[in-house]
């Protein structure tokens, strides 16, 4: 379903590409989006993260993940010839720091941020980060931002 371009210019230690791709595909499957799309995830340091946050979001601090949706921000339908879903920018030093403070692994936090960012690319906001399963609306993350492990199984 997803064609994934992983950019890691600072050579951070990352989970295997097929695992990251599985997180994205699982997210799209849960919300019944099955078309093939292209997604770029760029893993950056604090300097590049801050530069991007300032330029595009008017933020004065780097943040863990930024989402740039082609479908919703530029009104290019996903079903267009381009099939571009968008870009995620993930700031690895912040991800590591947050993981330590949340008492989870960096990989678990990356899973959460990949899912979270993908949902933003698909038009979800912070009020709609849930999915329907077995008769109930379930959140993809717990109230502390930790990934609900049953989702990743």
């Amino acid at each position: 379903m997803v064609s994934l371009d992983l950019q890691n210019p600072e050579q951070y230690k990352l989970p295997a590409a097929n695992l990251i791709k599985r997180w994205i595909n699982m997210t799209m499957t849960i919300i019944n989006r099955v078309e093939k799309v292209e997604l770029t995830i760029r893993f950056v340091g604090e300097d590049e993260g801050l530069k991007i946050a300032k330029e595009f979001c008017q933020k004065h601090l780097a943040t863990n993940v930024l989402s740039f949706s082609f479908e919703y921000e530029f009104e290019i339908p996903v079903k267009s010839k381009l099939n571009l879903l968008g870009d995620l920018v993930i700031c690895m030093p912040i991800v590591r720091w947050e993981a330590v403070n949340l008492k989870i692994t960096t990989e678990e936090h990356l899973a959460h941020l990949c899912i979270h960012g993908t949902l933003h690319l698909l038009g979800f906001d912070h009020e709609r980060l849930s999915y329907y399963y077995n008769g109930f609306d379930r959140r993809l993350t717990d109230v502390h931002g930790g990934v609900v492990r049953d989702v990743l199984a």
Side-chain angles (χ1 to χ4, degrees):
M1 289 189 325
V2 67
S3 172
L4 195 56
D5 175 20
L6 298 179
Q7 298 177 1
N8 187 12
E10 299 202 27
Q11 300 297 305
Y12 290 106
K13 184 177 182 216
L14 300 174
N18 63 344
L19 180 58
I20 296 171
K21 190 173 185 175
R22 190 175 91 180
W23 298 335
I24 306 301
N25 284 332
M26 175 271 313
T27 304
M28 293 187 65
T29 299
I30 286 172
I31 63 166
N32 295 316
R33 293 286 297 261
V34 295
E35 68 273 15
K36 184 175 169 99
V37 295
E38 296 179 31
L39 169 64
T40 297
I41 303 176
R42 185 171 176 86
F43 300 92
V44 301
E46 281 191 77
D47 289 344
E48 186 175 351
L50 177 58
K51 181 180 176 185
I52 292 169
K54 279 183 177 178
E55 185 173 343
F56 295 100
C57 305
Q58 291 71 50
K59 294 183 179 187
H60 298 288
L61 294 171
T63 187
N64 54 15
V65 63
L66 292 171
S67 302
F68 299 93
S69 171
F70 290 102
E71 181 176 5
Y72 293 98
E73 292 179 31
F74 302 107
E75 298 180 6
I76 298 172
V78 167
K79 293 181 180 178
S80 72
K81 291 180 181 179
L82 296 174
N83 289 334
L84 300 174
L85 182 58
D87 297 339
L88 297 179
V89 176
I90 297 178
C91 185
M92 288 304 295
I94 292 176
V95 171
R96 290 177 179 159
W97 181 84
E98 289 176 341
V100 168
N101 286 292
L102 291 167
K103 296 181 172 67
I104 60 176
T105 67
T106 300
E107 184 174 299
E108 288 172 319
H109 199 35
L110 275 174
H112 165 241
L113 294 173
C114 287
I115 292 166
H116 185 100
T118 299
L119 289 169
H120 277 299
L121 294 177
L122 293 166
F124 284 75
D125 59 26
H126 291 116
E127 302 300 316
R128 297 178 50 211
L129 289 178
S130 62
Y131 66 100
Y132 187 78
Y133 182 72
N134 283 345
F136 296 97
D137 283 324
R138 300 175 189 260
R139 288 184 53 87
L140 291 172
T141 59
D142 63 26
V143 295
H144 304 292
V147 175
V148 177
R149 294 184 191 285
D150 293 347
V151 173
L152 297 179

